[in-house]
Amino acid sequence: TQLDILRSRSQAIKVADDLGLARNDKFLIDMGVASNGAPIGGLDAENTRRERVIRVLMANLSVELPRSSRVAVLNFESPNAQLAANVANSYVKTFITANLQRKFDTSTYTRDFLSNQIAAAKERLEQSEQAMIDYARGAGLIDTTGVGTGTGAVAGNNESSLTMSNLVTLNQSYSEARTARVQAQQKWLQVQRMPLMSIPEVIGDPLIQRLNGDRAIAAVELQQALERYGSNHPTIIGLRARVDELDDQIAGQANLIRRSIREAYELSAKQETALSANVDELTRDTLSEQDRGIQFNILKREVDTNRTMYEGLLQRYKEISAASGITTNNISVIDVAERPTAPISPDIQMNMLLAGLAGFGLALAFVFFRERFDDVIRSPEDIDRKLGLPYLNVIPLADAGMSPKEALEDRRSHISEAYYALRTAIELASPTGLPNSLFFTSAAPAEGKSTTALAIARTFALTGRKIVLIDADLRKPTLHRELELSNEVGLSNLLARQRPLADAIQHSDIENLDAITSGKLPPNPAELVSGSALSEMITQLQELYEVVLIDGPPVLGLADAPAISSIVDATVFVIEANRSSRGKTKAAVRRLLSARAKIIGAALTKFDAQRIGYGAEYDYYYYYYGGQKAADAPASGRKKQRQRVSN
């Protein structure tokens, strides 16, 4: 309350008058809310200035009261140091003066007022007590505890209270009985509409559960006996009689349960009817008693009210009379406001510290949310963490100016080395050794699966293995262009059983590497791939070659890839770094797994190690195979340029 008084408009008016702040514009100029030019003019210039002074005082004042303390701290902010101290001290001085004046004025007026009020209250109390006694005698009502105490009860009121208590208790019991009847009725109606053996109480009955178990055992024994004996065999007849007996027992117990539900409903209905009659009888008795005591209760309440008012006025009069001569103040000054020696704002060091902390916090929040909601596969760790697939190897981006084919032909390039490592990982990925048939696919087009399939086929062929590479992408084939082969006869002709296998196999410029191109693009690739011709063709090729490699279409949106993956021995899933999202890639993996594909791992293509901070881990490629090129480059152009490996 005292803090609200300090912040009030009336207190600001007292300070303005005490210091004469509204006499001119000096205060407003010192506070920075008016210019040091012409004074405020007009008929209402003085009132306008006074109003502005009051608003400025209230806006720049702050009062603090620490918890568990009775010492308040009063602050006033101003660009003028001396003015700030003067206003703060004036607030305290005028507040103490006003507090003393209020006490003195209030005590004198209050004593005179209370004296008159006490006399009137005493007279009203005497009159109301006399009226209550006269009515009680005429109506035959007796106050057993006496009127003077103010807490007495009317004779016969105990019986009335007992009747009312019984009514409340009985009414509560009636409400509970009615609720129980409604629940029992709903339950019985529900049971009537349900098949006997579908009733929850029947299903949950321990005896029925045990009888059902015995019947199941008897039924099994009967079925087993029927397999050994004829239908008229004594054993069969006995077991059938046992099953029928158990059925009768189950039906009898179920009927008993349903009958108990009906009986519970009928019993609750009878209880509700009986309680309803008792409630009606007690209600009539209670209303009769209330009619007889209405006027007495009115008079008694008037007596109690007058007595409470009289005692309160008398107590207040004694308190004011005792304190009327006291003029001491309960507010004292602990520290006087002095002229500040340094400004409180702006605090450059604190502002810089807070700005740094805020920037650091925002950076952490940005990094956290970016990492939290980043759905893109960026690093080898994401393959295991986001997809749950084994990690085979990463394929880095090709250098600027070098095509994927040139990078593969250069055995000293980092891409060739990466594919050699991927080949080794494929050989070691299965406990049975190198798979006889290997399928390459990806979630979406242009993720590098065709380049990867060709590179792995090339590395296997260079080791002396006899390899055949099949272009199974019957929508966007690329193998015939990469190996510069004819595409007149290919996989589509074999799957349509138009040409023999020997007509589709072509020899490439790479030793030990043969290829089967896609052939003419069919209108229904999914139907061709889903037939038995592909499985038969792979079986024939496995007799001629050590490894059959298949470059397939992407998974999402097409039915070809899951069908091919279910036929081959192993599947390699190709993922483009910084492009493939977790949701899309995981959906593709789920489609392959649902087709019973054997995914031996995933390869991450077009990987830029320096972009995501893996440069130190993968720099050995450049150290051994790119050092001379880096040394010959100009100093200003040492930074590697990248391009994406196309599908």
Side-chain angles (χ1 to χ4, degrees), residues 246-264:
L246 289 172
D247 287 338
D248 293 340
Q249 291 179 2
I250 292 172
Q253 179 65 17
N255 285 320
L256 182 62
I257 292 174
R258 183 165 64 178
R259 190 162 51 253
S260 66
I261 295 174
R262 184 190 64 191
E263 291 174 354

Side-chain angles (χ1 to χ4, degrees), residues 32-45:
V33 296
S35 60
N36 192 9
I40 299 175
L43 297 177
D44 297 330

Side-chain angles (χ1 to χ4, degrees), residues 509-573:
D509 295 338
I510 304 172
E511 187 178 0
N512 299 321
L513 176 60
D514 292 344
I516 297 178
T517 62
S518 65
K520 299 297 182 180
L521 300 184
N524 53 348
E527 296 180 7
L528 289 179
V529 172
S530 300
S532 61
L534 179 62
S535 178
E536 296 172 0
M537 182 194 70
I538 293 176
T539 302
Q540 295 177 17
L541 291 174
Q542 287 177 342
E543 297 176 356
L544 303 175
Y545 297 92
E546 296 183 47
V547 184
V548 178
L549 302 180
I550 302 176
D551 173 24
V555 177
L556 296 180
L558 304 175
D560 309 18
I564 298 173
S565 65
S566 64
I567 299 173
V568 299
D569 295 335
T571 299
V572 175
F573 197 80

Side-chain angles (χ1 to χ4, degrees), residues 196-197 257 351 561 592:
L196 183 61
M197 298 309 297
I257 292 174
N351 292 345
L592 293 176

